[in-house]
Amino acid sequence: MPKFVYDFIEGNRELTDLLGGKGANLAEMTRLGLPVPPGFTVTTVACRAYLAAGAPPAGMFDEVNRHLRGIEARLGKRLGDRHDPLLLAVRSGARYSMPGMMETVLDIGLTDTTVHGLAAQSGDDRFAWDSYRRLVQMFGRTVFGVPDELFTAELETVKRTAGVTADSALDADDLRALVEAYQKVFHQHTGRDFPQSPHEQLDLAIRAVFESWNAERAVLYRRQERIPAELGTAVNVMAMVFGNRGPDSGTGVAFTRDPATGARGVYGDYLANAQGEDVVSGVRNTVPLQELERIDPRSFHRLMTIMDTLEHHYRDLCDVEFTIERGTLWMLQTRVGKRTAEAAFVIAAQLVDEGVIDLDEALDRVTGAQLGQLMFPRFDPASAPTPLAVGVPAAPGAAVGRVVFDSEAAVAAAGRGERVILVRRETNPDDLPGMIAAAGILTSRGGKTSHAAVVARGMGRTCVCGAEALTVDTAAGQLTVADGTGAAPTVLHAGDLISIDGATGAVYAGAVPVHPSPVLRYIEGELAPEADPLVSAVHRLLGHADVVRRLAVRANADTAADAHRARAFGAAGIGLCRTEHMFLGDRRELVERLILAETDADREAALAALRPLQRQDFEALLAETDGQPVTIRLLDPPLHEFLPALDELTARVARAEALGEDPGHDGQLLAAVRRMHEANPMLGLRGVRLGLMVPGLFATQVRAIAEATVARLRAGGDPRPQIMVPLVGAVQELEAVRDQAEALLADFDGLPPIPVGTMIEVPRAALTASAIAEVADFFSFGTNDLTQLGWGFSRDDVEGVFFGRYLELGIFPVSPFESIDTAGIGRLVQIAVADARATRPDLEIGVCGEHGGDPDSVRFFHDAGFDYVSCSPYRVPLARLEAGRAAVRLAHRSDTR
Amino acid sequence: MPKFVYDFIEGNRELTDLLGGKGANLAEMTRLGLPVPPGFTVTTVACRAYLAAGAPPAGMFDEVNRHLRGIEARLGKRLGDRHDPLLLAVRSGARYSMPGMMETVLDIGLTDTTVHGLAAQSGDDRFAWDSYRRLVQMFGRTVFGVPDELFTAELETVKRTAGVTADSALDADDLRALVEAYQKVFHQHTGRDFPQSPHEQLDLAIRAVFESWNAERAVLYRRQERIPAELGTAVNVMAMVFGNRGPDSGTGVAFTRDPATGARGVYGDYLANAQGEDVVSGVRNTVPLQELERIDPRSFHRLMTIMDTLEHHYRDLCDVEFTIERGTLWMLQTRVGKRTAEAAFVIAAQLVDEGVIDLDEALDRVTGAQLGQLMFPRFDPASAPTPLAVGVPAAPGAAVGRVVFDSEAAVAAAGRGERVILVRRETNPDDLPGMIAAAGILTSRGGKTSHAAVVARGMGRTCVCGAEALTVDTAAGQLTVADGTGAAPTVLHAGDLISIDGATGAVYAGAVPVHPSPVLRYIEGELAPEADPLVSAVHRLLGHADVVRRLAVRANADTAADAHRARAFGAAGIGLCRTEHMFLGDRRELVERLILAETDADREAALAALRPLQRQDFEALLAETDGQPVTIRLLDPPLHEFLPALDELTARVARAEALGEDPGHDGQLLAAVRRMHEANPMLGLRGVRLGLMVPGLFATQVRAIAEATVARLRAGGDPRPQIMVPLVGAVQELEAVRDQAEALLADFDGLPPIPVGTMIEVPRAALTASAIAEVADFFSFGTNDLTQLGWGFSRDDVEGVFFGRYLELGIFPVSPFESIDTAGIGRLVQIAVADARATRPDLEIGVCGEHGGDPDSVRFFHDAGFDYVSCSPYRVPLARLEAGRAAVRLAHRSDTR
């Protein structure tokens, strides 16, 4: 039989799986000799057994009672003792912190009998009855789901009767009456009396905590935070200590450093003569922790010493909850504290300076996602007014613009060059054009998985959603904000300025000044590394990542300007240059001629006219990337994408014909578009297929690359182009293109070797990677298409349509376009890498889909043995950092094995 | 060093890989003591070495010379001997027969000197010079590529000079002059003299045969017949025997049974006083073999005895080539003979009756493809006139209809209920509507990989293509046929009747009577098994296949009528019932209401109205399939497929608006279609996604299934429905639908267990099959979608666009929609089956894509461990046969290991 209960002295901080975070850290503090009230933890194993069977596992309550007797013996008090009752706190504590999601019951042990004992023993009637009414309310709410409002209504009645406004002004008699009223509420709601057996109270409280694991809000939270549903929670049972025993008592929270900025020194808040829940409820204002030095210098210095001990012990920022009962300090919780992205970098660098951790470990403590946040502009905290409302921060950034209420207005305003915020109750696929046109998106409904959130993240728009204080009236063209105080609501109209903060969810009226990101300015070379502590920390950790990482980081860049930026951001070359833009703009007419060509001569003439233009493009690109690899992908999209859309032409021609006019050129175009129409263009004539079907198309591109390379060589440059064939599904396709390319390249004297490789973006290519590796110089995984084909859905068609629902249903924990789906698409990637390397161990393998810039995915690619990732230039620093973290982590892992 | 040359006495018929088919069988006949001229075979190993190095492997010609000396010793003649020269025949012979593709040189050994020795020795000047002129021509053509026309022109000149018309009327002097003329042609074309060294002749001839392996026509043939390019050919060198030594000489071919019908008794043709190539050239008419009994009874009876020996030895139909030289019979070749589909079945059954083979082996000797051919109607051979032309038989069937020259005309005629044959020079995607409307397709250009051929096979239309004798003049609306005789051409016009035979490639003017297939009539129960030998053979072999096969065969059937036919054809249930037709026809209006529903109540009302209609459909289906499993797939296509097409609506609305009219309902529909429009519907909101997004949709279907089941149970039936969820990519999708379905089914009393399973048609489902198997009662592979997604192309968009080119380039040997692509998609299937069975060894696994009825694919599914295949009702017999063959083959294999 497993052991279901651990005394605090038996556990340690390594046992978080078993004891939860809170229990493991309470045990650690106990082992360190810090003043923790005696207690024990019921394990997650017990919880899982309870949830599976619907009943506690055999022997669990025997163990609980045995450990309870240990506490009683240590404290010389007994649960239920009518003269000196032991009181207990029961708190949940899971492996991962789930703030506000889980349950707590304090003051267990009080009954109509023992309340008198507590009164006598403490010499404080008021304290005893106050504790009892707290118990009835917390127990009623937590264990039986009695709505809080029912209790609050009774409290208001009693206060009105007593003629007071503050809870603290109620005397013992008032509170005794309140307990009676609360017990009636309890009876009415549950159909039973408030339990008068302290052991039954404890039993029911433990069960309630177990059950809270599957409460709806906890399930939703876990899904969003990607916490496995099967972990279960532990339950911590601890002797009560009281911060509400008079002016020499109190409660507080403290951090070993500033969790907002990372600045050194203990930060915190203190509330005298109060319990922890009073701090949370915000009924009274806390004071800065420093004032405790004046109020109770002994406890203050004791706390400072403990904080120091904890930080040295945990080698990181810690936060604590503490209580002082009549001058005695008790530690109720500690953990490695949450912090902002800024603080994470600053503290990691500080700890290195302080000799506490080395650079590897510092790197492991920051994330690419944090670095990504720091690269966005931010509202100036100093000049930001009080928010109108706070919603769900759904996609990062700080966006300022004029309010528009529909997609058409957004598109129209954007057309006039105005920045707008699209405000909707919620969005749907019809709003897509407006979402593209807007600087930001604000909704009053929906969470991180709503259409607005999913699409905004996908397209990189700032988004705040589910700001429920807002009432959006599209018809009236106004936005009403109730602040909850009953004051007249604020009303905004279309055209009013508004600011939304995608990092915090705050919504502000007016234009809040936006500060450019100092981190971005540093990365762009505009700020020196020593400019401020944050920039300095980023500089050091990014620099270390560059030293330790095995993955190279390239950028996706189509133009010389993109390539220039990519290099500045630390890219080691271009992993993907899409050539489709070279067929757009002023070249449309030539491309149209190419497509409509009716003879070989027409087609060849159009291609011949396109070639010098492409040569110039390639030359400019190669000039920016001297000495670095530049992977140029031959034309990928279907040719009809370069012609007007079918329904647009259909409407124009139908209109002309209805009016008896000659549709002219439109008629000719329509015929061509109809001929080339594809029901599913993504699955049609594109990529290598196009190259094999349209004579001269790829050849023109290959020649232009060769000519540009020769020109750069003559200019003294060091051009290193690579030719990449898109959409290969069979080795024979690559062979055919490769043979043709090699024959063409052989015509150029003095050309350096130009590698010819392929995208791996079609599942069949991954499945036949062994054969393809024999004729490819490199593989570049196109995980975007691989995801689309592997799942059988096209991002454009489905992301805004059902991804929100799928995220809610837990079908995926995160969009597979954001992070690579390791179980499915990732497995395909692993199969391909293993097969390809078995054929050709030195094959260069990279990725050029958007996953190349996603932190979790970078780690996956590192583990899968890739040589490089390629991502958008702005994501290059993030990918560098994550590549470093991945390398450090693997090194650690192998150390400990 | 390997042995490069085998004397006939050293080899045997098992050595076909090494000696080629011809060489191995010559060796076998030699070992049997049959009269084979002495000779030897140069191996395929030597050929491969030659082709790889561009030169014969070291030692090869030494071996050739050693074996040559062996022949000389046996015959007492020497190559190059001026008095009694040995003459040799050099013939290619690969592992697989490649008729007309490879090379032969006869009479090697004749020179200006030895020709006199041959004349003296044979006492026949004419014979000697005739042989010499044959050598110069064959050697020139085969070894140096001298065009035949150049020789033919000289022959005509000599005949004109001599005043004769038949070759045989030329005398020795004429032929001597001809040799001189041929040698001049040879010199002019090659720049060198005709080789006067017999050893050089032999050397060059062997090299030429090796090189013919890579001749263009051989490469094309191999690609079409899926013969591996790396095999190489062997070369057979044999002493010449002569059928042209006078009336007591001759040459012929014979079969041990009739290769057309399988009838018992020796069949063949004989040509007196002639060589083999005279038979092929058809200059003189052969006589039936029976006449040889009169001409040369001794040789005839000897031949009959040999044929008997061969058939008993090979235990199958054999064909032979033989030559009689002055009353002495020589066997020049034998092999297991090709035969028609009909003969294959009849002979296999006969051999069982004769106790030569058992039923397993008989089954192994027929194919599903042959059975498929036999199920098509045929033109009556007796009443078929001389064909107008013969093209490439590209898609089977016998089609009769009126000539149309374009797609519009085909569609219009089909609309009037006329059967038409679409006649084009070649087809392209614009012709698709016409190809669908036509009964058959005839083109004058292109082969088996042309657009017409690929598309016709894909859609099951009869097709003859590349009938090059036809001139198609679309503008003039006429079809001209030149018969090559210089006679006035036949001209057909639009509207004329024409008949095309997809089995033979024959094109006939007029309506040739079509006979229904007796095999189909038998399968449909209209003919008794004993009706004729063919039907009887099919009955026995199909029956045996049913006994031995492990794979069950189900049918894809959507309606009660289909299900009825499927059962008659031997299906063991329905493997796929698509439910989309239940949303069409008179239900369109309800479906439109469902789609346009603006409230839950509207939607529910539409669904409620659909449910009883669906219940009736299911009830009728289950009534036809009592006691058999019926796999019902929940709705798969995107809902907008049930609305009019976007561009059709766009044009209607644009027209109305241009004319200032109110588009009315069209306007509302257009808005809905626009909202639901998908760029790639195949990758959009369909399948299980639809079920999770449209409340009540799947629930309505599940309820209708349950209600129909209950109704059938009440009627005393044995309904066995299974519910299949389409397009699952993640186990969570299936879980969600399954949970909902089970909750609904629990409401029905007395329902039998209804299994809930899933299609495996999305690559990710295959990659995560292990997880999905945990919640699925069965898997049904949708290899059509799996092929589309795995390759990243949609059949409709690409099959007619680039498949022809891809087949030509050898990117695939056959369309991956016809036979499963084992290297890519097949591997995915194998991964999924292995993972799923590891999770759940008893999982039922089947396939319901079109591959379920393809012979090669059935074998693959058998090997992959499937439980069943499901295919269209017409393919059920074929699949039964192939399933039996697959089982027999595996059994054999395990026997011999």
Side-chain angles (χ1 to χ4, degrees), chain A residues 214-549:
Chain A
N214 282 335
E216 197 178 333
R217 59 180 181 167
V219 169
L220 280 174
Y221 182 87
R222 281 200 297 275
R223 197 170 277 161
Q224 288 212 339
E225 300 295 319
R226 301 162 77 167
I227 298 172
E230 63 275 13
L231 293 182
T233 182
V235 183
N236 299 293
V237 179
M238 182 195 271
M240 283 294 298
V241 291
F242 298 94
N244 54 347
R245 294 292 301 275
D248 56 350
S249 301
T251 189
V253 297
F255 299 85
T256 58
R257 308 190 183 221
D258 185 339
T261 65
R264 282 192 186 79
V266 175
Y267 284 70
D269 298 297
Y270 182 69
L271 187 58
N273 197 14
Q275 285 285 65
E277 71 264 33
D278 299 325
V279 179
V280 176
S281 72
V283 177
R284 280 187 293 148
N285 286 337
T286 57
V287 297
L289 186 62
Q290 276 62 26
E291 295 205 16
L292 180 61
E293 186 167 17
R294 189 183 47 73
I295 300 168
D296 181 352
R298 204 178 63 92
S299 292
F300 179 77
H301 290 297
R302 178 95 206 267
L303 179 64
M304 291 305 107
T305 310
I306 288 172
M307 297 297 277
D308 199 50
T309 303
L310 287 173
E311 200 180 80
H312 274 90
H313 187 68
Y314 282 90
R315 299 162 59 249
D316 202 350
L317 163 78
C318 294
D319 66 26
V320 300
E321 288 176 27
F322 64 91
T323 283
I324 299 173
E325 180 175 345
R326 296 197 156 168
T328 302
L329 176 67
W330 294 101
M331 303 305 294
L332 301 189
Q333 173 168 325
T334 191
R335 61 183 177 188
V336 169
K338 296 201 171 175
R339 65 206 76 182
T340 62
E342 177 174 352
F345 274 86
V346 170
I347 292 172
Q350 283 168 359
L351 292 172
V352 172
D353 288 340
E354 294 164 16
V356 177
I357 60 176
D358 63 15
L359 273 168
D360 277 4
E361 195 168 349
L363 187 56
D364 199 40
R365 293 204 183 166
V366 293
T367 69
Q370 289 169 332
L371 181 58
Q373 280 174 35
L374 293 172
M375 289 171 67
F376 279 100
R378 287 185 295 180
F379 291 125
D380 179 6
S383 54
T386 307
L388 276 181
V390 177
V392 178
V400 179
R402 295 191 181 279
V403 171
V404 291
F405 288 104
D406 59 52
S407 184
E408 292 73 28
V411 171
R416 294 188 300 270
E418 289 175 21
R419 288 176 67 80
V420 295
I421 307 292
L422 177 64
V423 181
R424 302 284 290 170
R425 190 158 167 278
E426 55 209 346
T427 61
N428 67 42
D430 294 343
D431 297 319
L432 273 178
M435 297 174 78
I436 294 167
I441 295 137
L442 169 63
T443 70
S444 60
R445 293 291 187 87
K448 284 199 171 180
T449 61
S450 64
H451 178 269
V454 171
V455 173
R457 280 199 299 278
M459 59 174 62
R461 291 293 175 281
T462 297
C463 177
V464 170
C465 57
E468 299 193 345
L470 307 182
T471 306
V472 179
D473 186 342
T474 308
Q478 66 179 36
L479 175 67
T480 314
V481 193
D483 67 356
T485 63
T490 309
V491 178
L492 294 175
H493 296 92
D496 289 350
L497 279 166
I498 195 173
S499 304
I500 61 174
D501 188 337
T504 64
V507 180
Y508 304 99
V512 178
V514 175
H515 278 211
S517 153
V519 171
L520 182 61
R521 291 182 63 211
Y522 151 68
I523 289 170
E524 286 179 333
E526 293 173 21
L527 277 187
E530 53 278 6
D532 75 18
L534 171 60
V535 166
S536 161
V538 167
H539 172 75
R540 289 171 68 189
L541 296 182
L542 207 45
H544 186 62
D546 289 341
V547 170
V548 297
R549 67 189 160 91

Side-chain angles (χ1 to χ4, degrees), chain A residues 430 679-683 689 692-693 733 762 764 767 790-794 797 801 805-806 821 827 835, chain B residues 430 675 679-683 689 692-693 733 762 764 767 790-794 797 801 805-806 821 827 835:
Chain A
D430 294 343
N680 294 280
M682 189 175 288
L683 304 176
R689 302 162 194 163
L692 294 173
M693 290 301 288
E733 292 173 315
V762 168
R764 191 181 188 277
L767 291 161
W791 279 91
F793 49 51
S794 100
D797 287 319
V801 175
R805 177 109 178 96
Y806 266 41
D821 150 42
R827 186 174 178 211
D835 288 359
Chain B
D430 293 343
R675 191 172 60 240
N680 294 280
M682 188 175 289
L683 305 176
R689 301 161 195 163
L692 294 173
M693 290 301 289
E733 293 173 315
V762 168
R764 191 181 187 275
L767 291 161
W791 279 91
F793 48 51
S794 99
D797 287 319
V801 175
R805 178 109 177 95
Y806 266 41
D821 150 42
R827 186 174 178 212
D835 288 0

